[in-house]
């Protein structure tokens, strides 16, 4: 029987091949990623394509994570299939305690996680480097399991799968769209019990990485 990690490995490979006619990826940074035994990869959330891009980027580092995803995505046709295939942990916005307990247990079992601290999509074309309010779960998880956070910035995903579309844009006759994933070179350790401040510190790092990614995107 395949483990979630082995499924993620194959899914990442298949997704990269399937999306190759429409998307090209540039993964940058992440010096510490191959040696990071366990931790939380935290990224911004501007598109339904973020999970796909994140899994492909982490496959670049040979890292395979469990993903925390809002429960409503499990009800979507394509996203629901993907969520179940990768063994994602559903998060109920009305009662996040169960998901936090499951996530901390996974971290303590040396299973790394991928989460979007904003908890929902945020894309403002007039302010492309802005992020939505971060949930405090990122701080509670990192401190509860005593693991670091590895921030990552995703840019370009909103052009592949805009939030207002039921399906991604898949036109092989147009120029392939560039998705840039900027990963921090050093992990971020959170301290203290001010979960709001800790969550904002993570988002500040993510915005810096997004800015670097947007600079690459503007040249590509």
């Amino acid at each position: 029987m395949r483990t979630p990690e082995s499924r993620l490995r194959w899914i990442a490979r298949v997704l990269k091949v399937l999306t190759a006619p429409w998307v090209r990826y540039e993964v940058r940074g992440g010096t510490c990623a191959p040696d990071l035994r366990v931790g939380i990869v935290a990224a911004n959330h501007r598109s339904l394509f973020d999970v796909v891009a994140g899994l492909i980027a982490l496959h670049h580092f040979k890292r395979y994570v469990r993903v925390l995803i809002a429960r409503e995505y499990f009800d979507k046709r394509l996203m629901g299939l993907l969520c179940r295939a990768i063994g994602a942990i559903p998060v109920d916005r009305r009662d996040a305690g169960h998901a936090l307990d499951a996530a901390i247990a996974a971290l303590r079992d040396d299973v790394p996680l991928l989460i979007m601290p904003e908890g929902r999509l945020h894309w403002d074309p007039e302010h492309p480097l802005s992020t939505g309010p971060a949930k405090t779960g990122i701080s509670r998880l990192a401190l509860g399991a005593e693991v670091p956070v590895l921030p990552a910035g995703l840019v370009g995903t909103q052009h592949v799968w805009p939030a207002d579309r039921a399906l991604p844009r898949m036109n092989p006759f147009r120029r392939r769209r560039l998705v840039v994933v900027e990963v921090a070179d050093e992990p971020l350790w959170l301290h203290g019990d001010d979960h709001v401040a800790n969550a904002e510190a993570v988002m500040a790092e993510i915005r810096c990485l997004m800015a670097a990614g947007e600079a690459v995107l503007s040249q590509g």
Side-chain angles (χ1 to χ4, degrees):
M1 181 179 296
R2 291 188 182 277
T3 64
E5 290 74 21
S6 64
R7 286 199 300 270
L8 282 164
R9 184 181 303 113
W10 282 104
I11 287 171
R13 290 171 178 170
V14 170
L15 287 173
K16 187 172 184 179
V17 171
L18 291 178
T19 59
W22 305 283
V23 185
R24 55 195 178 100
Y25 302 92
E26 184 162 344
V27 181
R28 297 161 49 89
T31 302
C32 68
D35 298 323
L36 196 61
R37 180 177 60 84
V38 64
I40 305 168
V41 180
N44 57 301
H45 193 18
R46 57 172 55 181
S47 164
L48 294 176
F49 198 70
D50 291 337
V51 172
V52 175
L55 293 179
I56 290 172
L58 289 167
H59 175 63
H60 173 81
F61 298 111
K62 301 296 186 288
R63 308 300 294 172
Y64 305 99
V65 298
R66 297 285 298 277
V67 187
L68 268 69
I69 300 179
R71 184 174 292 278
E72 56 261 34
Y73 288 132
F74 283 74
D75 298 327
K76 297 180 182 292
R77 184 170 57 182
L78 291 179
M79 283 298 295
L81 289 173
L82 178 62
C83 289
R84 292 178 178 83
I86 64 178
I89 299 173
V91 179
D92 191 330
R93 300 185 195 280
R94 296 167 298 181
D95 180 17
H98 178 73
L100 287 174
D101 290 342
I104 289 176
L107 290 167
R108 289 175 174 168
D109 286 339
D110 292 344
V111 177
L113 302 180
L114 168 64
I115 70 173
M116 279 76 173
E118 294 158 285
R120 61 186 65 207
L121 292 171
H122 175 87
W123 166 240
D124 184 348
E126 296 184 0
H127 302 91
L129 296 181
S130 67
T131 54
K135 307 296 184 183
T136 59
I138 181 69
S139 175
R140 298 177 191 279
L141 286 174
L143 294 173
E146 299 181 324
V147 298
V149 176
L150 183 63
L154 303 173
V155 298
T157 54
Q158 73 280 359
H159 300 306
V160 179
W161 196 341
D164 59 354
R165 289 176 62 97
L167 295 172
R169 290 171 172 159
M170 298 180 291
N171 187 344
F173 301 104
R174 297 186 61 179
R175 182 183 179 186
R176 290 191 301 166
R177 297 184 180 274
L178 176 63
V179 169
V180 181
V181 183
E182 290 274 353
V183 183
D185 285 319
E186 296 294 333
L188 175 64
W189 288 90
L190 302 180
H191 302 282
D193 57 2
D194 190 337
H195 298 303
V196 173
N198 280 340
E200 176 51 32
V202 173
M203 296 310 300
E205 291 288 334
I206 289 174
R207 286 192 291 271
C208 289
L209 294 164
M210 289 167 58
E214 286 285 357
V216 175
L217 196 66
S218 65
Q219 299 170 3

